[in-house]
Amino acid sequence: MTASLAHDRRRGHRLRGLIARTGPAAALCLAGTLTLSAAPAAPAAPTAPADPLARYHHQHLTWKSCLLGPDDETGKELAQAGAQCTDVTVPLDYTHPGGRTITVALSRIRATDSAHRIGALVLNSGGPGGQTIGDPPWVRKAMKGVGGRYDVVGVDPRFVGRSTALDCGWPTGSMIRGAGRDRAEFARMTSFAADLARRCRTRAGDLVPYASTRDTARDMDVIRAALGERRISYLGYSYGSYLGEVYTTMFPGRTDRVVLDGVIDPARYGPRLLRGTEAAGRHALSDWADWTAAHDKDYGLGRTGSAVLATVEAIQSAAERAPLRVGDYRVDDRIVPTVMFNGLSQDNPTAFGDFAQGVRDLRRAAEGHPVSPSPWLAGVLQFLLTGHDSGYGSAQTAILCADGTAPRDPESYWRDLRRADPKDRLFAPVTNNINACAFWGTPRERPTTIRTDLPALLVNATGDPRTLYSGARTVHRGWPSSRLITLHDADQHAVFGIFGSACVDDAVNAYLATDRLPAADISCPRGRS
């Protein structure tokens, strides 16, 4: 999903991610006490196999300041919240645990109510590839009174953020682009995708095979053990919901309370996970257009929603004729749709206003005026058109490509693009386009078949343009032991602690406090607290 959900959510928040060894040992002890001297000696109980991950499970963690330097804003926020940080050592390849190791970075705010401590709540903020290490302060605040009963733990997954890096040296922060207006532009996009894959083989070929969600789940279980926890609770947003599904499947019995917010349907997850989101994207764009029209005095993009949408279409038409000059950037008809896609995930006035300012800048560029981009647009263009966030895009792509296969033949993508709605010049060219996974190696493991017999609390907004509400309902129907909290009438991606719904937040916190799922599914109105 183009930009880091962690960044999106923090913007939204500020305005806007063991079983105890009792069996064999107890049996041996019991056999010894019951042996009679006159009877033949009982055969020795089988020796428990040595734990190949023992050195990782029992490692000593050294907690220290999270502040990396005077310009480290994340470190400052963590320090102010009383968090500390550490690195956990994990094997690069779990089939050879004695081989090469990497590190996974953690942050932690300790429980303050030690008398009623529940355990550790591990976070993942999505992406895939999103940094989570900076999230404990705002999650702890969202948890209100129950927050003091948990150690709130942020984890930068393998190859992300402060963990061992995977960086392919890309000239962009994302493999996602629009397809362009014709076959020649699609051919250029195909070459672009192939080049990104080649750079990863050349620069990080020793790491990319080990970027899968299954390996990240294995890291989570090492983290659980290294923290000294028999079980962990978990809060995952967006891609983090899929990670939670995989972890609970691979390590049943090692989770306590599980909250999945922005629920991914595992049947739809993979290198082309954006396909099928076009209608939700158009709906979110229309709602934004209506809001922008109501604030025409501020943005001047049109006095009706239809007029604002016409402005957006005019920008794309201008970019098809010639790239738009926006500051130092050249924005062509493959980038404009990606900017529009990137502007829609948070349903609040600040995010809407940032997006409207960016569209206003693009319209001025389309009219031939010199433009210095607004902060939001400047950030998106830097993300898409420079190597500033190469590490983010590299890790995100490596995870997606390691988790599933994509069609190898460019013609299959071209056919999908031609079959898409010809009137949709913004979303279908992004969601159906070829990407680097078409030129990737074969995944080392098959996708996980998710088990659905464990308790979980699911959260989704009806208008979520990234993780569709229909997917959350599908997961819920197939997961009888889950409950679903629905936020109605909001085009919001990730809800708990972000959107400002007291209905959602109170229900999640009640579950975290009591370990009791709601008796029935919960419907929450759009209204904020």
Side-chain angles (χ1 to χ4, degrees), residues 17-34:
L18 225 148
I19 298 173
R21 294 162 116 196
T22 55
L28 284 169
C29 185
L30 184 63
T33 59
L34 293 182

Side-chain angles (χ1 to χ4, degrees), residues 396-520:
Q396 178 177 85
T397 301
I399 294 165
L400 289 169
C401 300
D403 281 344
T405 57
R408 304 298 191 192
D409 184 3
E411 290 300 318
S412 66
Y413 298 89
W414 180 245
R415 286 193 295 270
D416 288 343
L417 288 163
R418 288 175 63 86
R419 282 195 291 261
D421 183 353
K423 297 188 294 296
D424 181 358
R425 298 194 296 159
L426 296 175
F427 299 108
V430 172
T431 60
N432 289 281
N433 200 12
I434 195 168
N435 63 54
C437 294
F439 304 96
W440 217 261
T442 302
R444 296 174 66 245
E445 298 183 79
R446 296 175 63 85
T448 305
T449 300
I450 304 300
R451 61 181 294 165
T452 56
D453 58 343
L454 301 172
L457 186 60
L458 314 179
V459 183
N460 226 93
T462 55
D464 187 334
R466 297 286 192 273
T467 51
L468 302 181
Y469 182 62
S470 59
R473 292 181 63 187
T474 297
V475 170
H476 179 45
R477 282 195 299 269
W479 195 331
S481 53
S482 69
R483 295 290 184 271
L484 175 62
I485 302 175
T486 299
L487 175 65
H488 289 274
D489 303 319
D491 304 318
Q492 174 69 26
H493 183 47
V495 181
F496 172 68
I498 299 156
F499 182 76
S501 168
C503 175
V504 172
D505 294 356
D506 290 349
V508 171
N509 284 329
Y511 169 59
L512 293 175
T514 65
D515 195 23
R516 290 193 296 272
L517 288 169

Side-chain angles (χ1 to χ4, degrees), residues 176-384:
I176 305 298
R177 293 285 191 279
R181 65 185 177 277
D182 55 27
R183 185 58 189 256
E185 289 205 358
F186 174 73
R188 285 194 288 274
M189 181 63 213
T190 301
S191 297
F192 173 76
D195 179 64
L196 296 182
R198 179 191 60 78
R199 288 171 183 257
C200 282
R201 286 193 299 272
T202 301
R203 293 279 297 268
D206 56 333
L207 300 179
V208 291
Y210 307 102
S212 72
T213 298
R214 290 179 63 85
D215 280 328
T216 297
R218 294 178 177 112
D219 293 346
M220 279 179 57
D221 204 56
V222 169
I223 291 166
R224 174 203 55 75
L227 290 172
E229 302 288 344
R230 186 173 65 88
R231 297 191 298 170
I232 54 173
S233 295
Y234 179 77
L235 169 62
Y237 293 91
S238 189
Y239 162 78
S241 73
Y242 179 70
L243 174 59
E245 293 162 354
V246 172
Y247 181 77
T248 57
T249 296
M250 292 179 66
F251 299 97
R254 298 187 187 176
T255 54
D256 187 0
R257 298 155 209 204
V258 175
V259 180
L260 308 180
D261 188 332
V263 184
I264 287 181
D265 178 359
R268 295 180 58 87
Y269 173 77
R272 305 188 76 190
L273 79 169
L274 297 178
R275 293 186 73 205
T277 64
E278 300 85 7
R282 290 192 295 268
H283 183 273
L285 183 67
S286 179
D287 284 350
W288 165 81
D290 289 341
W291 181 93
T292 302
H295 295 81
D296 186 58
K297 282 199 306 183
D298 297 319
Y299 305 107
L301 296 176
R303 295 182 179 179
T304 66
S306 297
V308 174
L309 293 175
T311 297
V312 171
E313 290 289 335
I315 292 168
Q316 176 66 354
S317 295
E320 289 175 353
R321 294 190 294 271
L324 313 180
R325 291 194 172 274
V326 182
D328 295 330
Y329 301 105
R330 290 170 58 84
V331 181
D332 64 19
D333 58 336
R334 292 177 298 166
I335 296 299
V336 168
T338 319
V339 172
M340 301 299 170
F341 181 87
N342 208 46
L344 298 167
S345 69
Q346 300 298 298
D347 187 342
N348 64 69
T350 299
F352 279 3
D354 287 345
F355 186 30
Q357 288 179 8
V359 173
R360 181 179 60 189
D361 293 341
L362 291 173
R363 187 194 64 179
R364 286 181 53 80
E367 293 170 345
H369 301 292
V371 172
S372 178
S374 63
W376 177 84
L377 182 59
V380 173
L381 295 180
Q382 181 186 55
F383 173 66
L384 293 173

